[in-house]
Amino acid sequence: MPGVRPRVRGALVTASASTAGGGRPSAPEDGYEPDPRRWRALWVTLVAGFMSLLDVTIVAVALPTIQRDLHATPAEVQWVVSGYALTFALALVTAGRLGDALDRRRIFLLALSGFVIFSAACGAAPDITLLVLARLCQGLAAGFMAPQNSALIQQMFRGEERGRAFGFFGATVGISSAVGPITGGAILALASGEQGWRWIFYVNLPIGLLAVLLGRRLLPRIERKGRGNVDVPGILLLGTGVLALMYPLVQADSGGLARLWWLFPVAVVLLAAFVLWQRRLVAREKQPLLDPRLFSTVRGYAVGAGVGTLYFVGFSGVWLVFALFYQHGLGYSPLKSGLAVTAFALGSASAAVLAGRLVERFGRVLTVCGLVGVILGLGGTALLLRLVPLGIAPWVAAPVLFIGGIGSGFVVSPNITMTLRDVPVRMAGAAGGALQTGQRLGAAVGTAALPGLFYVVLGGTHGDYRTALVAALVAALAGMAASLALAAFDWRRDRPGRQAHRKCPDEVANSPVHARHT
């Protein structure tokens, strides 16, 4: 029933599920009344999101210990990291759409419960096969949980409060990615013995159980008059397309790019078929998995997704490169290696919260300035690590790395807010899932390409770790420069003088031009 608008009162949302994917976007703000528990509910979702994103990188420092303890091969143990990232990315869009069509609260709590259960299974795994299987399931649960986070923010907050909430969300994304290595190193330092790596997974249990209990009490309930249909062909096309695109990347360390290159054109064909299928469903006024009008009519969504994807190519890969440089090149322990990059995490955390308060006032210019700061910070760090004596280089570079962290805080949080600000609440889950899928794909490219380049240069220079580090950081900066160019383009198009002329989603959807094209 196109045109039925949701009624939001406190923790209760009443909406016709038949508007969840077909039909025209409706104004999400009508009838909104703030839920007095919304900020406490936000912290529940942020804690759960922090755990799921932290588990992308926290395990990396424990791989040598896991390999020795479980008598695994390097290729097998690499799946402990890459398998999680793969299933995480595969689930995002489908999970977001199911949350929009069915019940975000229920899917979030089920996924969070599954994440806790599979974390326990990872910690108790007696061999590498069961550990990898548990990690695949844990990544799937994380992928179902992640898009509900941004969708619940869209649902619970409006106006400047939404910017603040996304500021906390952006801080969570940035910090969890940056502090993974130091957290893993700290747990390994505190947990003695070969079995200490198991606590990297067990630590999720008390936190996750508490989040489940609080979530049941605080998260808003959604009352629906019907059930939305699920686009099964769309799920299959998108899932196989993303799998074909990511599988060679997660296998890069074992020669996957050379062996599986043929999957890239297969991915292009499958994803193109997915786009055509989604357009066909919209033309027939049916419910697609991912409404293509998000990219064509929702202001800033396509550009924001591109900015996030390009940024995460460099952002995710640099932490593995720093770990390789400090641990293999300088002989640091995992904990000391993590401490060497803590300045970035501190800068990112402080800036992301501030950026969330400023984004409604300054808009895309925050992302542009943030990207400039990240490029200057990482570029300056690369220069100092190349020129300063190695004994003091990490600590001399820390203030410059802190500047890069501040820049990062002004990238992730405002970009999420600017990308999702005009998305109708009923489409928030699918939109958030697609945005995070782009980030996961960018992260997969970065974590495959940058360490690979590091090793290539290291071999070509006969063990010159400084040169290898600089080469990898320059490649990361190239991805961030591309993200900067895209953000600057959007900023010029979205300057304050043009804001008054920007149409809301309802106006665009109802315009004659849009009607002719859909």
Side-chain angles (χ1 to χ4, degrees), residues 352-377:
V353 176
L354 176 62
R357 296 174 179 271
L358 299 177
V359 66
E360 288 295 325
R361 179 179 178 184
F362 294 101
R364 181 62 75 187
V365 69
L366 292 181
T367 309
V368 173
C369 294
L371 284 163
V372 171
V374 176
I375 291 171
L376 292 177

Side-chain angles (χ1 to χ4, degrees), residues 135-185:
R135 280 288 280 177
L136 290 170
C137 295
Q138 188 191 32
L140 194 65
F144 267 83
M145 183 167 50
Q148 315 312 327
N149 283 334
S150 58
L152 285 167
I153 290 174
Q154 293 279 88
Q155 177 181 315
M156 293 188 294
F157 298 94
R158 299 291 188 273
E160 292 187 3
E161 279 197 344
R162 181 180 287 176
R164 289 177 57 197
F166 273 126
F168 290 120
F169 181 67
T172 301
V173 174
I175 296 171
S176 60
S177 300
V179 305
I182 186 174
T183 305

Side-chain angles (χ1 to χ4, degrees), residues 116 293-294 341 388 510:
V116 173
R293 289 172 295 183
L294 278 170
V341 296
V388 176
N510 293 320

Side-chain angles (χ1 to χ4, degrees), residues 42-80:
L42 173 67
W43 287 109
V44 173
T45 67
L46 293 184
V47 167
F50 182 85
M51 286 194 306
S52 65
L53 291 171
L54 186 71
D55 267 53
V56 176
T57 56
I58 190 175
V59 182
V61 296
L63 291 184
T65 306
I66 295 173
Q67 183 177 347
R68 289 193 302 268
D69 185 43
L70 299 182
H71 309 290
T73 66
E76 289 174 333
V77 79
Q78 183 60 34
W79 268 100
V80 176

Side-chain angles (χ1 to χ4, degrees), residues 396-410:
V396 172
V400 183
L401 199 59
F402 180 76
I403 294 174
I406 292 177
S408 179
F410 280 94

